[in-house]
Amino acid sequence: MNQEELWGYLGREIMNSRIGSNNKKYLGFLSCTKYNGESKLIETYEDMIKVTEGHIALGGGGLALFGSACLHTWPENVEEAVRRFEDNTRVDKQKFMDDSCYRGTYGTCFTTTLGSVLHELCHTFDLGHTQDGIMDRGFDNVHKFFIVTNSNVSGDEESVALKSKCLAVNSLVNSNSIIRNPNRVQNSRPRKKSEDDTYFTRSCSVILSYHKFFNDYANRSNGYILKFDRATNFVKSTLGIRVIEIRKGMNEMKTVLMILILYLLRIMRVILSKNFMKGNKFYGVN
């Protein structure tokens, strides 16, 4: 099975079990991941993936699923977290998987994989990829959220120099949600060494703020109108529209994918009137 097939298979197993529910999100670590780096020359991310069985890093729908080959760098309890972030021990790639954005230490492997888990989990809450922040490659430096960093701890100088080598995220669409595809490269905005990229962009923050999983919208969705006319590229909502994201790429929907917040801005009780352009197309928002 490839990653998408494995994600789909385990997702169906969960939903068909006694714990399956459309009202839950699931985060799982695949216990059978096996790294076979002995006597192999591991120079690139692709080399590492080729010798790893059962590795996965996908999120979407109701499931975020991650391989377990880098858990050797993780703390066993919360008290160990800071020490693990600051661990500059070099990973022996002949013995252990090193998913650290080419920085090569236990601490950076922990921060990249912890951040990646957060990234994948956020896909289950309908967040797409961005040019900045956690939903880009900001998750590589998620340690900045927990500790005061310096170049020895965070690997920032090396990280900036090697940023272009890191496999960035891209997406597939599955059941109206986003799945990460780690094998394709996304154009990330260049960053300064000192820049903090451990944040959610405004669009992502708004989606999370108004998401149905974090709010009580019982009995509030009756009577609203939300329509998108493909012929005229015209959007109409009687409750207002807070976010419109146009997601388009090789492995995303070929047409416009809009994340529309369906339940928000009830206090407005008016129809918003805005227009915007995308490429040579005109989009009306009413």
Side-chain angles (χ1 to χ4, degrees), residues 22-38:
N22 289 324
N23 296 319
K24 297 178 181 178
K25 301 292 186 181
Y26 300 89
L27 172 62
F29 291 84
L30 195 65
S31 62
C32 61
T33 308
K34 183 179 181 181
Y35 180 69
N36 303 298
E38 299 88 350

Side-chain angles (χ1 to χ4, degrees), residues 33-132:
T33 308
K34 183 179 181 181
Y35 180 69
N36 303 298
E38 299 88 350
S39 303
K40 304 292 194 309
L41 180 61
I42 310 298
E43 295 183 333
T44 67
Y45 182 87
E46 292 90 341
D47 293 337
M48 180 181 66
I49 294 301
K50 287 179 182 178
V51 300
T52 307
E53 301 176 39
H55 178 67
I56 184 169
L58 293 179
L63 174 63
L65 191 60
F66 210 78
S68 56
C70 285
L71 291 184
H72 65 96
T73 66
W74 283 42
E76 295 186 5
N77 52 61
V78 174
E79 289 74 20
E80 285 188 0
V82 171
R83 180 172 62 83
R84 293 286 188 167
F85 280 127
E86 296 177 339
D87 190 346
N88 290 319
T89 304
R90 304 297 297 183
V91 178
D92 183 350
K93 291 185 287 188
Q94 298 293 310
K95 298 180 179 179
F96 302 108
M97 187 176 185
D98 171 29
D99 188 1
S100 64
C101 192
Y102 294 93
R103 292 172 291 183
T105 69
Y106 274 61
T108 52
C109 186
F110 171 38
T111 192
T112 286
T113 51
L114 176 65
S116 185
V117 169
L118 172 62
H119 177 105
E120 303 306 336
L121 186 61
C122 286
H123 279 319
T124 71
F125 295 107
D126 305 308
L127 299 192
H129 293 126
T130 58
Q131 290 186 323
D132 305 282

Side-chain angles (χ1 to χ4, degrees), residues 226 237-242 261-262 264-265 268 270-272:
L226 177 66
S237 170
T238 56
L239 293 182
I241 298 174
R242 182 63 182 271
I261 309 305
L262 305 182
L264 54 85
L265 299 182
M268 296 180 63
V270 296
I271 298 175
L272 301 181

